[in-house]
């Protein structure tokens, strides 16, 4: 058997992951994945992309994204890259809205669509696709639970809760309220209590994560004193959040035989600064950073409790500070601003404020008008995440190409003049491997008329889980792309991936083996793996593989090499 010319590509991909991949992050120089030399030059497609407007379309409406960027970056009209080609956009928006690449059939159909509004129509279809809620429930799970193990709440029930909430159009502010107020006593609402229960009600951990994940401000260093480097982060802010949870405790419910949340009607927060030589003790009532303190209402002693704490009685006060937090947190713009920044980072590769948990005056947004526009869009849509995703994906900024333009500065990515190369998230990578090999299509074919999202997605999640586990950050840490040797070795050697390579009814290998025309087979392969057409050189390599005595092994090696390449691992 001949030595396949494509096998070194896999080694190059693994080397890129293990050696330089760990340096690829939001602030790194642009790294372009390898593409065949004779790929045809990409031309700017004819698509309907909204042009920046000088003023909002209607009084009181948020400034359009591209108009906001133009205010912050006046050179955008002369230095911005052209729109990306249709297949690049198709792959990008599929990963961002439904978590995986398009099928070959979807790619061919999109190429054949000549309607100038095809991109906006595709965005609407993907947002309406049930797969959207399945995927974005995983995104929110990774954001808010940071892959912590399930301790008191079944992780599947938690994800079901997130998915059903998104499918019902529930606002993100409502989700946050439910997560903070659920006490775990009602089986219907218990999944929402996972945010607190599976942090073991470690009050300092809960306060840190509420400040980071909901307010975009990591107040951990303000626990014992004002933050030494960030003037906006005060010790009083930290303890104001702590006061909301100071009275809440874990309770072993004798009937449910489970941990639930209980609360007392007394208990005050007192603190001293370790830098204060006088050691003055201060008291702090509940209050969100930048907001007023919220003193307790005056109640008679016999009116303090709905259910007073006792040995086997869960404490339920008439005034709940924890419930008060849910209202205070969603009353201002801080939550919306933080969420808008995180959604932008998810789709564009870097937040308008970066790092995401460092929103403060000394770390201003790169594009202030843009962040204001995103925040107001989310507020006016009543925290409808689809409304925010729709305006982002329809923007010229999102649809920007990765081809550099003459005169662009070195920081063109940060100035939103060119598309940023983004690594696939662990979930996207796991899904991509299953979609590219045709495993998902094979599962749908096997299920036939029963191939509903409820039937297909649990199988996809189970099969993707080993990939996600090896690519994900350690529990309790935010996801950040970090190429590690074990990841490359897993993809290069582990049998879990190999099981999806042999032919199966409906999968990619079956289609490749059935195709006699090398050019058509090459396009089938490269559309499935990279969502692009094959080059002339790649067609030649496919012809060689199809002439092999052991054709299946040759095709398997080729497919395996492509799945291990840098081009597969990144979104252009």
């Amino acid at each position: 058997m001949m030595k396949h010319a494509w096998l070194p590509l896999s080694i190059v991909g693994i080397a890129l992951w293990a050696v330089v991949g760990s340096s690829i992050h939001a602030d790194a120089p642009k790294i372009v994945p390898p593409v065949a030399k004779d790929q045809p030059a990409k031309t700017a497609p004819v698509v309907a992309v909204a042009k920046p407007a000088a003023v909002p379309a209607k009084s009181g409406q948020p400034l359009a994204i591209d108009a906001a960027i133009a205010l912050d970056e006046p050179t955008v009209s002369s230095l911005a890259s052209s729109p990306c080609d249709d297949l690049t956009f198709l792959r990008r928006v599929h990963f961002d809205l439904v978590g995986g690449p398009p099928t070959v059939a979807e790619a061919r159909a999109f190429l054949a669509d000549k309607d100038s509004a095809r991109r906006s129509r595709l965005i609407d279809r993907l947002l309406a696709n049930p797969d959207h809620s399945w995927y974005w429930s995983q995104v929110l799970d990774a954001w808010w639970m940071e892959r912590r193990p399930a301790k008191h709440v079944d992780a599947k029930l938690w994800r079901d809760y997130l998915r059903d909430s998104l499918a019902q159009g529930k606002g993100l502010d409502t989700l946050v309220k439910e997560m903070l107020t659920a006490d775990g006593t009602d089986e219907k609402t218990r999944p929402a209590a996972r945010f607190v229960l599976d942090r073991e009600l470690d009050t300092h951990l809960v306060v840190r994560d509420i400040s980071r994940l909901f307010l975009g401000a990591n107040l951990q260093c303000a626990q014992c004193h004002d933050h030494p480097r960030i003037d906006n982060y005060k010790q009083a802010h930290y303890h104001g959040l702590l006061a909301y949870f100071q009275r809440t405790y874990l309770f072993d419910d004798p009937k449910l035989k489970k941990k639930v949340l209980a609360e007392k009607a007394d208990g005050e927060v007192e603190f001293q600064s370790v830098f204060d030589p006088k050691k003055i003790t201060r008291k702090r009532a509940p209050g969100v950073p930048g907001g007023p303190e919220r003193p307790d209402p005056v109640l008679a002693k016999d009116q303090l409790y709905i259910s007073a704490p006792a040995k086997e009685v869960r404490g339920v006060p008439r005034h709940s500070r924890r419930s008060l937090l849910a209202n205070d947190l969603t009353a201002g713009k801080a939550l919306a601003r933080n969420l808008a920044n995180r959604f932008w980072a998810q789709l564009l590769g870097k937040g308008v404020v970066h790092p995401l948990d460092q929103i403060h005056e000394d770390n201003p947004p790169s594009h202030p008008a843009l962040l204001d526009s995103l925040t107001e869009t989310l507020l006016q849509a009543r925290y409808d995440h689809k409304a925010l995703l729709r305006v982002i994906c329809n923007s010229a900024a999102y649809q920007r190409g990765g081809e550099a333009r003459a005169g662009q500065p070195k920081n063109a990515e940060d100035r939103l003049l060119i598309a940023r190369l983004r690594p696939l998230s662990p979930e996207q990578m796991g899904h991509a491997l299953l979609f590219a090999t045709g495993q998902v299509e094979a599962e749908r074919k096997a299920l036939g008329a029963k191939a509903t999202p409820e039937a297909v997605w649990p199988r996809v999640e189970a099969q993707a889980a080993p990939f996600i586990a090896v690519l994900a950050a350690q529990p309790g840490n935010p996801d950040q792309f970090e190429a590690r040797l074990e990841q490359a070795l897993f993809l290069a050697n582990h049998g879990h991936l190999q099981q999806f390579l042999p032919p199966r009814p409906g999968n990619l290998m079956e289609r490749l083996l059935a195709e006699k025309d090398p050019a058509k087979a090459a396009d089938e392969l490269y559309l499935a793996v990279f969502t692009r057409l094959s080059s002339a050189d790649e067609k030649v390599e496919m012809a060689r593989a199809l002439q092999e005595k052991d054709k299946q092994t040759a095709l398997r090696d080729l497919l395996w090499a492509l799945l291990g390449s840098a081009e597969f691992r990144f979104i252009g």
Side-chain angles (χ1 to χ4, degrees), residues 335-358:
L335 175 65
R337 189 174 177 85
N338 166 67
L339 288 171
N341 191 48
R342 288 180 180 272
F343 271 81
W344 185 263
Q346 183 76 20
L347 270 64
L348 276 294
K350 185 178 181 180
V352 187
V353 175
H354 183 81
L356 300 180
D357 61 357
Q358 295 292 317

Side-chain angles (χ1 to χ4, degrees), residues 296-345:
D296 295 335
V298 178
L299 297 173
K301 189 174 182 179
D302 61 352
Q303 294 295 311
L304 290 175
Y305 285 99
I306 297 172
S307 173
K311 184 178 181 181
E312 293 191 353
V313 179
R314 185 175 72 95
V316 181
R318 198 167 299 279
H319 171 71
S320 169
R321 284 187 170 185
R322 184 163 47 83
S323 296
L324 182 66
L325 171 61
N327 293 323
D328 290 352
L329 203 62
T330 57
K333 291 187 177 183
L335 175 65
R337 189 174 177 85
N338 166 67
L339 288 171
N341 191 48
R342 288 180 180 272
F343 271 81
W344 185 263

Side-chain angles (χ1 to χ4, degrees), residues 35-42 526 532-541:
V35 179
K37 293 180 180 178
D38 61 345
Q39 272 287 94
K42 296 177 179 178
Y526 282 83
R532 67 168 172 84
L533 297 171
S534 60
S535 68
D537 284 348
E538 289 160 349
K539 288 180 172 65
V540 171
E541 292 292 351

Side-chain angles (χ1 to χ4, degrees), residues 13-73:
I14 291 171
L16 177 65
W17 278 35
V19 179
V20 303
S22 59
S23 69
I24 300 174
H25 54 80
D27 299 314
K30 190 172 183 66
I31 295 177
V32 179
V35 179
K37 293 180 180 178
D38 61 345
Q39 272 287 94
K42 296 177 179 178
T43 57
V46 178
V47 290
V49 178
K51 294 182 179 180
V55 294
K58 296 179 181 179
S59 177
Q61 294 296 310
L63 194 64
I65 284 177
D66 296 308
I69 291 173
L71 287 179
D72 295 322
E73 181 55 65

Side-chain angles (χ1 to χ4, degrees), residues 18 32 34-35 40 72 87 144 153 168 190 198-199 204-205 207 250 261 338 404 420 429 464-465 543 553:
V32 179
V35 179
D72 295 322
L87 287 180
W144 291 339
V153 178
Q168 294 164 10
R190 183 174 175 83
D198 279 356
R199 286 173 168 82
H204 291 295
L205 176 60
V207 166
L250 286 178
L261 298 179
N338 166 67
R420 183 184 298 277
M429 184 65 177
T553 298

Side-chain angles (χ1 to χ4, degrees), residues 350-372:
K350 185 178 181 180
V352 187
V353 175
H354 183 81
L356 300 180
D357 61 357
Q358 295 292 317
I359 297 178
H360 56 82
E361 289 180 0
D362 295 328
N363 185 36
S366 61
H367 296 71
L370 169 61
L371 187 55
D372 288 344

